[in-house]
Amino acid sequence: MKMKLHHYEILDSTNETAEQMAKAGAPEGTVIMADRQRGGHGRMQRRWESPSGGLWFTLVLRPTADSYLVAQITLLAGIAVTKALRRIYSSDDIRIKWPNDIFFNGKKVGGILSEMRLHEREGIEYVLVGIGVNVNLGKENFPGELQSTATSLQLIFGKKIPVESVLQEIFNEFVVIYDRWNNEGMNAFLSEWEALNCTLGRMVKVWDSDRVIFEGKAVSMKEDGSLLVQMENGTEESFNFGEISIREC
C-alpha cells in the first residue's frame, strides 16, 4: 500500500472529506490531511480541538476481512501510532489507552476514530481511520478545561517535529502492521498491544450514557478487541467499544 496524500490548509473534517473521496472510488492508501480542522470530532461526537501545529489526517482502507473484524483496525492503528511516536521521541512512556487514545503520563496526546461503510451484499466498501496527534501545540492551544487532561508532544519533549514526518512514520508503521493483520489476524498483535497499553491492571468504570453499569479491573483484551473486566465478586464481563472511564493511565 502506497500513500496517496491530499493535503489541505483547512477542512471541516478530514473524515468527512475522506468519506466523499472513498464514495467516489478513492483507492486504499488515500490520505486526507489538514493543517487545521473546523469540526474535528472523536468518539461520541466529542469535539476534537484541531488547530495548526497538530497532525490531523484520515486514511482510506478497503479491507477484505469480515465486517465484524473491522473494530480491530482501531487497535492496530493504536499500535502503529504508539510505536512511531516512541521511535521519534525516544520515549517508552507513550502508551495506548483502550480502545483509541494515546497517552503520556496521564494526559492525552492523540486519538483514533474508525468508521466503516458496508455494501448490502458485498461486505466492506471502505474503512476510514481518522488519527489526530497533538504534535507542535502550545499551552495556548488547549482550552482551560483541557489543560489538566491533554498535552502535546512539543510541550512534553521540548522540540518541534515536522508534522509531515510524523505522518510518514505512522503510515509506514501502519502498513507493516496492516499487511500482517490481513495474513495472520489479531492474534499476532495481542501481546504487542498488551506491552504498549496503560489500561490492563487498572480499575475501570463502564458507562451506559451517563450511568455506571460496571466497575472492576481490566484484566485482558480478547482477540475481537473487547476488554475483559473482572468485578469485585470475581465474575468477568467483556465490553466492546463502549464508554470506558479509567482512573489512571
Side-chain angles (χ1 to χ4, degrees):
M1 178 169 58
K2 293 184 178 179
M3 185 193 298
K4 303 159 189 72
L5 179 62
H6 300 262
H7 189 174
Y8 298 85
E9 182 177 342
I10 185 168
L11 290 173
D12 287 334
S13 163
T14 60
N15 269 33
E16 290 176 4
T17 301
E19 182 175 28
Q20 294 167 8
M21 290 190 175
K23 287 179 178 178
E28 186 167 70
T30 297
V31 172
I32 310 303
M33 176 185 175
D35 296 335
R36 183 162 63 94
Q37 295 184 110
R38 287 182 290 245
H41 64 274
R43 282 197 310 150
M44 316 296 286
Q45 293 299 309
R46 291 194 183 94
R47 179 176 174 80
W48 181 279
E49 297 295 331
S50 311
S52 297
L55 173 60
W56 326 117
F57 75 97
T58 300
L59 170 63
V60 177
L61 300 175
R62 296 190 182 274
T64 57
D66 291 333
S67 58
Y68 74 91
L69 297 174
V70 166
Q72 297 174 355
I73 291 177
T74 297
L75 304 171
L76 300 176
I79 294 172
V81 173
T82 302
K83 290 180 69 175
L85 295 182
R86 283 183 169 205
R87 183 165 55 250
I88 293 169
Y89 293 95
S90 302
S91 173
D92 291 338
D93 291 323
I94 300 170
R95 294 188 171 274
I96 306 166
K97 176 184 171 185
W98 184 92
N100 68 333
D101 290 333
I102 310 301
F103 267 64
F104 180 93
N105 288 348
K107 289 192 174 184
K108 185 173 178 176
V109 296
I112 300 157
L113 178 67
S114 298
E115 300 175 307
M116 173 179 63
R117 180 181 174 90
L118 292 172
H119 282 294
E120 288 185 8
R121 298 179 182 177
E122 300 177 20
I124 300 168
E125 181 178 350
Y126 58 78
V127 174
L128 307 177
V129 183
I131 295 175
V133 182
N134 300 334
V135 181
N136 299 320
L137 303 185
K139 289 183 179 179
E140 69 279 3
N141 294 124
F142 296 99
E145 68 272 14
L146 292 181
Q147 290 186 6
S148 63
T149 59
T151 188
S152 76
L153 296 166
Q154 180 183 329
L155 289 173
I156 295 166
F157 298 106
K159 59 181 179 180
K160 274 193 170 185
I161 302 289
V163 292
E164 293 85 354
S165 299
V166 180
L167 167 63
Q168 189 67 61
E169 288 284 347
I170 292 173
F171 183 86
N172 291 346
E173 191 69 56
F174 181 80
V175 168
V176 173
I177 292 170
Y178 181 67
D179 286 347
R180 187 180 175 194
W181 173 75
N182 277 315
N183 292 319
E184 301 178 38
M186 191 66 200
N187 264 336
F189 298 98
L190 290 177
S191 60
E192 187 168 24
W193 186 92
E194 289 178 355
L196 295 172
N197 92 96
C198 62
T199 301
L200 300 185
R202 304 285 188 178
M203 295 300 294
V204 302
K205 292 180 180 180
V206 181
W207 296 78
D208 181 9
S209 298
D210 58 353
R211 183 172 63 93
V212 176
I213 56 174
F214 288 101
E215 185 171 2
K217 180 183 287 187
V219 293
S220 67
M221 187 183 72
K222 299 168 68 174
E223 182 184 359
D224 64 359
S226 60
L227 191 67
L228 198 65
V229 179
Q230 186 178 67
M231 312 305 162
E232 287 187 1
N233 63 8
T235 61
E236 294 181 344
E237 296 279 352
S238 62
F239 300 94
N240 290 314
F241 290 12
E243 183 67 358
I244 298 287
S245 173
I246 299 175
R247 291 181 178 174
E248 294 181 44
C249 210

